[in-house]
Amino acid sequence: MEITRLLRTIKTHHPQADLDLVRLAYDFAEEAHRGQKRLSGEDYVTHSLATAQTLAEMKFSAAIVIAGLLHDVPEDTSVTLEDIKKNFGSDIAGMIQGVTKLGKIKYRGLERYIENLRKMFLAMAEDVRVVFIKFADRLHNLETLDALPPQKRLRVALESLEIYAAIANRLGMGDIKGRIEDLSFKYVYPEEYAWVTGLVRERYVEKERYLRRTGKIVERELSAAGITPISVYGRTKHLYSLYKKLLRYDRDIARIYDLVALRIIVKNVADCYAALGIIHARWKPLKGRIKDYIAQPKPNGYQSLHTTIFCEGGEVVEIQIRTERMHEESEMGVAAHWTYDEGGKGSAQPPQNLRWAQELLKIQKELGKSDDALESLQELKIDVFQNRIFAFTPKGDVIDLPEDSTPVDFAYAIHSDIGDSCVGSRVNDQLVPLSTPLRSGDVVQIITDKNRRAPSQDWLAFVKTQGARSKIKARVRKARRG
Ligand code: MN
């Protein structure tokens, strides 16, 4: 790991970046950490450099990379945040302050967990770039986990799996999520890890060879139709996500079709659909396995066309077709929005269309007020990490909810008055009980009665969102009193 490699990586993605400032930051970090060693015996600055390298490879601007280089300086050395501000400006110093705040957690057990989560959410709401730096930092710590005592190893790995990977997933950062999970997997479930790696070792080699051959055929077929793919390659499934899928399929690897998948990246959406047609013309698709996530993206924003086909020699192969932009978004999620600017000045504000980032700010404010913060946080954790669905109002507005949410959750998500006065619901024009679990794409109409004084306490038994739960509790309490 060297500074020249870091500079080269930044330059590839940001030709205009101020590389002198990056070099200065490296020298600054090297001097500040001089004499400090990692538990692995390496000079401390190797950690700073590895963190920065990961950020640069994620195509982040120089400012974020510099913050990565300096992220442990105020915490671990005599150099202060003020010194950093003087040399590198307030934007970079602000990010480092955010990372430092995240580092200080002195609790144990469940309280430690909650505190950790709370700080991650706070950091995310204030400046999500801090969380990106924390991911890069955590990745290198996981890569060098063997140097830690076993007890601490397990704690770090578990925390990474339960908090960091979950948040990365919610931010749509598929690549980071997969890497954090796979690195933690080995320490959290060592026996299961050995089992899964054993299962895939030979299969991956064999399947990759097969996909290389198939990829060539696909490229030929596409070019014959006048489509030049940007790339065609086989992707192997991340180990931990394969493990979780195996648990859902009786541990039977023969039933898992996307162990490896053929990924086709093309220029635009029209080419995506054309490519799908060309593939289906040559190979028969399996029934019920064609998924159009372009027309109907997953709630975390994921877009692609998926199909599973009976391919050469009768092999069952999953194909994923997407544009370059969709690919970037699926690997990088929210972070993709911070990589496009050239100058190196990233914005601390989330992009406007990030509904749930704004949601988060709202929840954050509510949490600040509530006195049973611990309970709310546990509920919030469930809210944020559950899979999401989209449901629609009759006017076509989208309401983003956790999986299995009910019309009552939907009503409270629109407005607390609608929740309080709701008496019935129609889903896709059918009258249904208020406890009915909603599915993505449902059109939900809430029937209200102005004379209804308060929500029913019975709703607490089935609502899924923290927002609905806390409002029902508060209203029921108030109605009893008065
Ligand atoms: Mn660090």
Side-chain angles (χ1 to χ4, degrees):
M1 202 78 60
E2 7 152 18
I3 178 69
T4 45
R5 179 169 158 230
L6 177 67
L7 297 175
R8 224 181 311 129
T9 311
I10 300 172
K11 204 171 173 195
T12 320
H13 305 303
H14 301 279
Q16 316 292 331
D18 184 353
L19 296 183
D20 289 340
L21 195 66
V22 180
R23 191 180 279 279
L24 206 67
Y26 173 74
D27 292 340
F28 195 93
E30 200 273 329
E31 199 183 309
H33 289 297
R34 194 169 295 162
Q36 291 180 343
K37 298 278 182 197
R38 297 274 287 172
L39 281 178
S40 62
E42 285 180 303
D43 285 336
Y44 199 93
V45 77
T46 55
H47 169 66
S48 318
L49 204 48
T51 305
Q53 182 68 34
T54 300
L55 292 165
E57 281 165 10
M58 292 169 78
K59 305 185 189 173
F60 284 128
S61 64
I64 300 180
V65 177
I66 289 172
L69 275 171
L70 301 171
H71 79 274
D72 278 327
V73 165
E75 177 79 25
D76 296 339
T77 78
S78 57
V79 179
T80 65
L81 206 59
E82 207 42 51
D83 298 328
I84 291 179
K85 196 168 165 182
K86 253 182 265 156
N87 286 278
F88 300 97
S90 57
D91 184 48
I92 287 171
M95 282 188 262
I96 295 166
Q97 185 176 25
V99 177
T100 309
K101 264 199 271 176
L102 266 171
K104 286 180 188 149
I105 290 169
K106 46 192 179 303
Y107 301 91
R108 297 201 166 274
L110 178 68
E111 275 174 33
R112 181 187 172 89
Y113 178 79
I114 301 277
E115 184 59 13
N116 224 313
L117 206 53
R118 196 182 71 84
K119 288 198 164 167
M120 285 295 271
F121 283 132
L122 257 176
M124 210 148 51
E126 275 173 20
D127 183 349
V128 75
R129 298 175 303 170
V130 167
V131 177
F132 304 154
I133 297 167
K134 206 56 201 168
F135 286 154
D137 171 50
R138 183 50 63 104
L139 274 172
H140 186 248
N141 287 338
L142 285 169
E143 278 161 8
T144 51
L145 212 53
D146 278 331
L148 262 56
Q151 202 53 29
K152 214 173 166 198
R153 239 182 263 168
L154 182 64
R155 182 180 67 63
V156 173
L158 198 61
E159 188 176 278
S160 305
L161 201 58
E162 293 226 315
I163 299 178
Y164 287 73
I167 291 178
N169 182 41
R170 198 65 186 86
L171 291 170
M173 300 171 73
D175 180 49
I176 292 292
K177 171 198 164 246
R179 285 164 67 186
I180 291 178
E181 281 183 345
D182 283 4
L183 286 165
S184 316
F185 185 21
K186 188 164 88 183
Y187 297 96
V188 178
Y189 306 107
E191 281 158 28
E192 304 288 84
Y193 177 80
W195 171 63
V196 176
T197 42
L199 270 181
V200 300
R201 196 171 295 130
E202 279 167 24
R203 280 187 180 83
Y204 273 176
V205 178
E206 190 188 304
K207 291 250 180 193
E208 273 179 334
R209 206 175 298 141
Y210 173 81
L211 284 188
R212 257 197 304 279
R213 286 200 308 268
T214 311
K216 292 265 184 300
I217 304 175
V218 168
E219 277 181 64
R220 261 206 315 275
E221 295 266 336
L222 293 183
S223 341
I227 295 171
T228 317
I230 292 165
S231 60
V232 176
Y233 64 97
R235 82 101 185 84
T236 48
K237 203 169 178 64
H238 278 291
L239 286 177
Y240 187 67
S241 93
L242 171 61
Y243 166 64
K244 282 196 299 187
K245 196 156 184 176
L246 278 164
L247 295 184
R248 293 199 304 271
Y249 286 79
D250 304 323
R251 296 183 171 248
D252 180 3
I253 196 155
R255 288 172 58 199
I256 294 177
Y257 293 144
D258 66 343
L259 192 61
V260 291
L262 192 68
R263 203 167 264 167
I264 303 170
I265 317 278
V266 293
K267 273 202 295 289
N268 52 45
V269 172
D271 282 358
C272 289
Y273 289 104
L276 184 73
I278 291 161
I279 283 161
H280 284 171
R282 173 160 184 147
W283 297 293
K284 242 189 198 352
L286 261 74
K287 234 185 173 167
R289 303 216 18 132
I290 305 166
K291 289 171 199 145
D292 185 349
Y293 295 121
I294 293 180
Q296 286 195 308
K298 286 189 186 179
N300 67 1
Y302 177 84
Q303 286 190 296
S304 270
L305 298 176
H306 288 193
T307 183
T308 306
I309 55 169
F310 294 106
C311 197
E312 295 301 292
E315 283 253 6
V316 174
V317 176
E318 177 169 310
I319 311 256
Q320 304 174 346
I321 308 166
R322 52 176 77 155
T323 65
E324 222 173 358
R325 175 78 202 223
M326 288 172 195
H327 181 61
E328 189 122 304
E329 296 251 354
S330 90
E331 303 275 286
M332 295 280 291
V334 167
H337 300 272
W338 273 265
T339 59
Y340 297 123
D341 62 338
E342 288 290 301
K345 279 231 178 309
S347 155
Q349 291 307 310
Q352 283 309 301
N353 57 354
L354 274 183
R355 242 188 84 92
W356 86 272
Q358 293 158 7
E359 259 334 275
L360 208 64
L361 274 166
K362 235 165 56 190
I363 296 170
Q364 202 63 53
K365 276 184 202 135
E366 271 175 35
L367 276 177
K369 283 184 289 184
S370 108
D371 35 5
D372 50 356
L374 196 85
E375 191 191 340
S376 306
L377 259 165
Q378 278 171 302
E379 285 166 2
L380 170 66
K381 183 200 151 207
I382 294 163
D383 252 29
V384 174
F385 292 158
Q386 252 174 353
N387 289 327
R388 312 290 290 184
I389 56 160
F390 285 145
F392 298 95
T393 67
K395 282 184 187 156
D397 290 330
V398 181
I399 307 292
D400 169 14
L401 294 164
E403 217 166 40
D404 291 330
S405 286
T406 63
V408 174
D409 295 293
F410 184 91
Y412 277 102
I414 299 175
H415 198 281
S416 45
D417 288 345
I418 299 193
D420 288 346
S421 61
C422 111
V423 290
S425 61
R426 254 190 215 103
V427 173
N428 307 325
D429 281 333
Q430 300 280 319
L431 271 172
V432 299
L434 285 170
S435 59
T436 310
L438 298 174
R439 282 179 314 210
S440 258
D442 280 348
V443 177
V444 184
Q445 187 191 353
I446 300 296
I447 305 160
T448 55
D449 177 355
K450 269 190 293 236
N451 298 320
R452 176 158 198 145
R453 283 183 54 236
S456 160
Q457 188 166 4
D458 301 341
W459 294 351
L460 290 171
F462 58 74
V463 291
K464 288 288 181 294
T465 52
Q466 188 251 344
R469 183 174 300 277
S470 60
K471 278 166 200 154
I472 295 167
K473 276 187 193 161
R475 301 294 272 146
V476 167
R477 231 177 283 145
K478 205 171 149 201
R480 271 209 204 106
R481 259 187 260 127

